[in-house]
Amino acid sequence: MSTTTVSAQTGSTVFGALRAAVTDPARVKTRAIDLYANAHDASHFLLIPQAVVVATDAAEVGALLRVAAAQGVHLTFRSGGTSLSGQAITDGVLVDVRRNFKNIEVLDGGLRVRVQPGATVRAVNTRLAKYGRKFGPDPASESAATIGGVVANNSSGMACGTVDNTYQTLESVVVVLPSGTVVDTGAADADDQLLRREPVLYNGLLELARRTRSNPASVATIRQQFSMKNTMGYGVNSLLDFDRPVDMLAHLIVGSEGTLGFVAETVFRTVPKLPHVTTALLVFPGLEAATAALPALVATGAATLELMDALSLTVGQQMPGAPAIVLDLVVQEHAALLVEYHAESSEKLAQLLETGMQTVNTLDLTLPADFTTDAGIRGQLWYLRKGIIPAVGGTRPQGTSALLEDIVVPVPALARTCMELMRLFAKYEYENSMIFGHAKDGNVHFMLTDDFGSPTGLERFSQFTEDLVDLVLGEGGSLKAEHGTGRVMAPYVQRQYGDELYDVMRRIKVLFDPAGLLNPGVLINDDPNAHLKDLKAIPAVASEVDRCTECGWCEPVCPSRNVTLTPRQRIVSLRAIEQARLDGNLALVAELEKDYEYDAVQTCAADGMCQTACPVTINTGDLMKRLRRDDANPVEKAIWNVAAKNWGAVTRVAGVALNVVRTVPVGVILAPNKLARAVLGTDAVPLYSPELPGGGASRKHRAVTTAPKARPSITVEESETRHA
Amino acid sequence: MRNPPSETTRQRTQPTNAPQAVYFPACVQTMFGPATTGTCGVQVGFEQLCERAGITLLVPAGIDALCCGTPWSSKGMADGLATMSHKTLAVLRAATNEGALPVVCDASSCTEGLRHIIEGDTSARPLTVIDAVEFAATHILPSLPGYHKIESLALHPTCSSTRLGINPALDTIADAIAERVEIPENWGCCAFAGDRGMLHPELTASATRAQAADVVAMGATAHASCNRTCELGMTRATGKPYRHVLEILEEVTRP
Ligand SMILES: Cc1cc2nc3c(=O)[nH]c(=O)nc-3n(C[C@H](O)[C@H](O)[C@H](O)COP(=O)(O)OP(=O)(O)OC[C@H]3O[C@@H](n4cnc5c(N)ncnc54)[C@H](O)[C@@H]3O)c2cc1C
Ligand code: SF4
């Protein structure tokens, strides 16, 4: 696969061609800060793009693909940037497909929904809520993960399993192929059109289906592998599950991680949102007992069965607001399952719970099962479960990064696998690697924290991975259940599926993208050490933000996201500056710092919205305010201190000034005001704007005339009351 | 806290002169008056509502010289922030009778700013700061007489109301005002809470573009938020007059 990079000489030609391909050349960004700020996704890999392009529509993506083909550069689509396996980064051209692809259209009274790829899962669910419906895939990252990313990663979550995931709930998709052809798989004559316009692809898919179906070993492997949640390699089950090439195409796009085509629009069937919920934490004496209970509990119709091991519970005890049931426990070898039942009515819920309890009562529990519908306690229980990642990721030692694994094995093998995992953690001396996750699907996560960039860290990770692969594949599992193959598991696709199916997958890539324009190095990668390269360094920069895991959850709520940077981008740019300093690249330091002042510091609204979304409660605004403070010019600082001492006068003067300007034509004010901003800088002199109202009255002496005709207010001032 | 409302309380409330809360009207009201001439602004609205509910408020002496500190903190002016925090805290401690009364503030950003100021208060009985929206939802709404709701209200929760966790109270007030309350699908912080909207108008323009289009398409009867600078920001973005929810509540429920 080609991994072309843009050299200095050809750079300007490529950039010129990219600029010509979009309606506004300013949407092709090449300043250092654009490249470094946008480079990072949530994974532990890092590549720096040559250019960042904000695309507006499918036609523009088509034009960019033509430029890529003509100029020999490669493209990677970036949406929410919450990917964990290294599939949303590039050293080629990064195409932002989140900002301008936000349309959501509810169809058939909420039974279906048409969505563009940049809309978040949360936005779709907000729209569907009033119809009593929701989006099938339920990743924990729903606030930031977008539909494009969910489709491309075949994302799932704790409830949807393999029943309501992307593969199952996607009805049709509009795809822009690397050739520039646009395919709407929902069109009545979609299959004929595909044959007419892409005969090689069409016949190639038919041929691959024949080849796979006629190979019993392939059929057996596919059936076994895709009975589990599985995002390793391409979704070759499409070749068995569908007869029309256009349907195979639609379902191969699911989980293709941006390597086969651009998802321009999707139609999904939705699932009912069941408003009645009851939750309990079942505490077992050990992992064995907890996982042994799974099949029986699954049979009771439990919506979620989230596993937490003893270490998770111990860490949970330290979280503020931990539920009483955990606090009271003297944790030894315990393990817990967070069990939830969902129903459309309270009667249905009662029935479900009754049958559920018949099973629960037969289980070997340390504490009695205590189901609750109380929102407060349920909140605490989920806080415990969802707090595990931040607790590990956010408290990791400085200079280390956290890597989240995502394995799946058949449920009967889960206990054995977890025990073996713990043995591996001990063998490789990984600390704080709690095991938790979606046990009902045999899918568990654990985190490794280390300085993966150091030679010892890398060697340790390399050997651990070999053992992990042996363990999981030995149990008939998959190395990635829901986070995608990315770069981290690309070297192991062949081992997981065998030579024949791996060759089928390689053939799929060539059929769709013969020139290797899209996201090279991801999902299929011939380098056996791809997972050990391009790892991210995380230098310490500021205590307010050093625990940032670069998850991207803060981005959708940031008011400056479409004008300059997001909180994550503010943080990673600082890390880039520091890394450049450590590397002795002072030219880069200067270049980044030049734009950091306006893009990061000045245009941060400091509203703290990022903190409301951040799993480790970082308020990037606090840091930006501190940087303003450190920057503040001493004269300006002194003036503001004088203002603090005389605030009453200042507010009244500001009020009077506004009253004066009201009676003067706007232009008269604007001209000198703009001049002052030009001289003193826009960060010091506020811009007067015509819709600002006139000033208000003193807070003490209100303009009673504007009050409604009323009796005297009973508000009293201090002096009066005090002496009354 | 107060007598249960009765028909007679609608007539004329006898000031008890024993205040139930210390009222801290935000200085943004002084700098930027009401949205349009002829409307009263949140301070008068809130006071009227309290009067009808028989609640006496105490406005600390020297209020005009006090501030929640946000203008300094947002500019990163540490000395000024310390000066103002110190001054405000001292006055509030005295006015609340050393924490015996809650402090009520009528602009969500300033409520948040005051909360930060009192974080530095290590006294045995720390101050409590409540936003006027929350205060109204618990202490005023239950005693309102019958009235006609307006048809629809476009609501703009703010970053601070979100951070303070008072959006449920804001919804409650909004639902009491209008038959239909709509929050724009593309709702987000308008970026106008600190000084950034005035220093960098391109920031607020970008932050409000999508939600402003939603709001204009709604064509709501009235437009409300809970923080004066955000009301201004949303007015700038939509061309619709945004006012504090309590100001509108007062108007809608005026006997
Ligand atoms: C803390 C945390 C928790 C998570 N929890 C879960 C979980 O519970 N379940 C789960 O499944 N995942 C989870 N994830 C992983 C991640 O959030 C999901 O994979 C998510 O769906 C990715 O969406 P995104 O919008 O961020 O896509 P991105 O990361 O931007 O992109 C993902 C891939 O899709 C490609 N792509 C993006 N848009 C398009 C498009 N329009 N057309 C074609 N290709 C495109 C990209 O090139 C990339 O390969 C979690 C991540 C984090 C950080
Ligand atoms: S600041 Fe918080 S939400 Fe934002 S990327 Fe970092 S950890 Fe994630």
Side-chain angles (χ1 to χ4, degrees), chain A residues 127 598 602 607-608 611 625 628-629 640-641 644 648 677 683 687 689 691 693-694 696 698-699 702 718, chain B residues 25 30-31 33 43 47 59 61 64 66 72-74 76 83 87 163 185 189 196 198-200 202 232 236:
Chain A
R127 278 292 294 277
Y598 174 81
Q602 289 189 17
D607 61 2
Q611 192 176 26
K625 287 196 278 190
R628 279 177 206 155
R629 185 155 75 222
W640 276 85
N641 195 21
R677 282 162 61 84
D683 209 43
L687 178 70
S689 122
E691 75 291 330
S698 153
R699 284 175 279 173
R702 292 189 320 272
E718 186 170 31
Chain B
T30 310
M31 282 198 257
Q43 184 174 358
E47 288 173 349
V59 177
D64 276 352
L66 302 182
W72 288 269
S73 119
S74 149
T83 306
K87 222 162 78 171
R163 289 172 54 79
E185 208 164 273
C189 166
R196 298 293 113 180
M198 295 208 288
L199 296 169
H200 298 293
E202 67 280 19
L232 293 169
R236 174 191 280 186

Side-chain angles (χ1 to χ4, degrees), chain A residues 41-42 76-84 87-88 97 117 138-141 144-158 257-259 261-264 389 404 438 445 482-483 519 522 551-553 615:
Chain A
D41 67 6
T76 293
F77 303 120
R78 163 68 66 76
S79 203
T82 65
S83 283
L84 292 160
Q87 64 267 57
V97 292
D138 58 347
S141 47
T146 67
I147 304 309
V150 166
V151 171
N153 285 351
N154 193 15
S155 307
S156 51
M158 48 192 122
E257 302 179 24
T259 64
F262 172 65
V263 175
I389 297 184
L404 189 62
H438 320 313
H445 301 304
E482 51 179 24
H483 294 166
N519 221 4
V522 166
C551 69
W553 290 17

Side-chain angles (χ1 to χ4, degrees), chain B residues 61-79:
Chain B
I63 179 71
D64 276 352
L66 302 182
C67 172
C68 66
T70 304
W72 288 269
S73 119
S74 149
K75 280 202 154 21
M77 300 289 179
D79 301 348

Side-chain angles (χ1 to χ4, degrees), chain A residues 547-554 567-568 571 610 613-616 618 620:
Chain A
R547 62 187 185 282
C548 170
T549 58
E550 306 188 359
C551 69
W553 290 17
C554 50
R568 169 168 65 177
I571 296 169
C610 45
C614 176
V616 293
I618 290 172
T620 308

